[in-house]
């Protein structure tokens, strides 16, 4: 992340607000475990309004435009209530990224990738996700900055983003029970995709370069296929 992005962490900290009790744990992607009960219908509706307001503000002005007081006003919740759901702007924007990925996952399931090989399908899937973020560059920048700024207190939310990305990639591969080697390849692909987002957002990579990097790293899938070489 460029130096000017790091400077934004200082401007974000006054917005982190007072320490507040954590809200009920959000329902994670399928297969993840949680000790907290799911949100009630009313709580879920409130959370949806908050995430929508966050995405709208970020789409218009990026990371700096997402101010907790404005999010509370836009979502029609009290500021204290907002902090109980999301203790800081970074928590909120990482949760916003998870929400965006869940929406992408639903879209991808309605229209699955059509590549002949698992590597082709994953590359197609990630480029479709990338182009969706490309249409909202301010929102993409805000979410990626939040992931970059996230400390250990945001680990559960960051883990949910990672799990959702893994689910998207495994769906494209057509795998329900991946081997350790395949999961390792998926992690490397996730790292490359995230890095490609950062380099594109900072103006250091073109869309064509991103596509080449994604297609190249997806070839790892062929190397971890148990059926190869038989």
């Amino acid at each position: 992340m460029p130096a000017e992005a790091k400077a934004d962490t200082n401007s974000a900290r006054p917005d982190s607000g007072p320490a507040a009790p954590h809200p009920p744990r959000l329902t994670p992607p399928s297969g993840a475990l949680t000790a907290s009960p799911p949100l009630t219908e009313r709580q879920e509706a409130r959370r949806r309004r908050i995430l929508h307001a966050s995405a709208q503000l970020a789409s218009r002005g990026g990371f700096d435009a997402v101010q907790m007081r404005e999010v509370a006003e836009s979502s029609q919740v009290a500021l204290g209530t907002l902090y109980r759901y999301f203790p800081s702007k970074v928590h909120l924007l990482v949760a916003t990224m998870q929400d965006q990925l869940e929406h992408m996952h639903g879209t991808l399931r309605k229209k699955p990738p059509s590549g002949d090989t698992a590597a082709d399908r994953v590359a197609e899937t990630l480029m479709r996700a990338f182009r969706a973020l490309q249409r909202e560059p301010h929102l993409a920048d805000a979410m990626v900055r939040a992931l970059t700024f996230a400390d250990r207190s945001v680990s559960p939310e960051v883990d949910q983003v990672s799990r959702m990305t893994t689910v998207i990639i495994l769906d494209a591969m057509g795998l329900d029970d991946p081997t350790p080697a395949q999961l390792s390849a998926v992690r490397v692909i996730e790292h490359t995709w995230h890095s490609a987002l950062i380099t594109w957002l900072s103006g250091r990579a073109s869309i064509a370069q991103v596509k080449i990097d994604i297609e190249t790293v997806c070839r790892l899938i062929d190397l971890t296929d148990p059926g190869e070489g038989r």
Side-chain angles (χ1 to χ4, degrees), residues 13 88 90-91 146-158:
R13 283 175 184 167
S88 75
V90 170
H91 285 81
L147 280 175
T148 304
F149 298 157
D151 59 21
R152 289 185 179 182
S153 71
V154 199
S155 290
E157 289 80 4
V158 173

Side-chain angles (χ1 to χ4, degrees), residues 61-105:
F63 186 87
D64 291 336
V66 182
Q67 300 298 321
M68 296 296 270
R69 188 171 297 278
E70 289 189 33
V71 172
E73 292 174 357
S74 297
S75 57
Q76 299 180 321
V77 302
L79 185 59
T81 300
L82 173 59
Y83 278 118
R84 286 197 295 273
Y85 278 79
F86 302 103
S88 75
K89 176 163 77 172
V90 170
H91 285 81
L92 173 57
L93 282 169
V94 172
T96 301
M97 186 163 195
Q98 180 202 348
D99 186 61
Q100 294 292 312
L101 287 172
E102 288 176 353
H103 177 72
M104 288 180 194
H105 187 219

Side-chain angles (χ1 to χ4, degrees), residues 127-138 140 197 200 207:
M127 286 309 299
R128 283 169 62 181
F130 187 88
R131 291 189 180 99
L133 292 171
Q134 184 187 4
R135 289 192 289 271
E136 296 282 0
H138 292 307
L197 277 175
W200 172 72
I207 300 299

Side-chain angles (χ1 to χ4, degrees), residues 189-204:
I189 291 168
E190 287 181 30
H191 295 326
T192 302
W193 185 68
H194 182 246
S195 177
L197 277 175
I198 292 175
T199 55
W200 172 72
L201 287 165
S202 63
R204 293 182 287 120

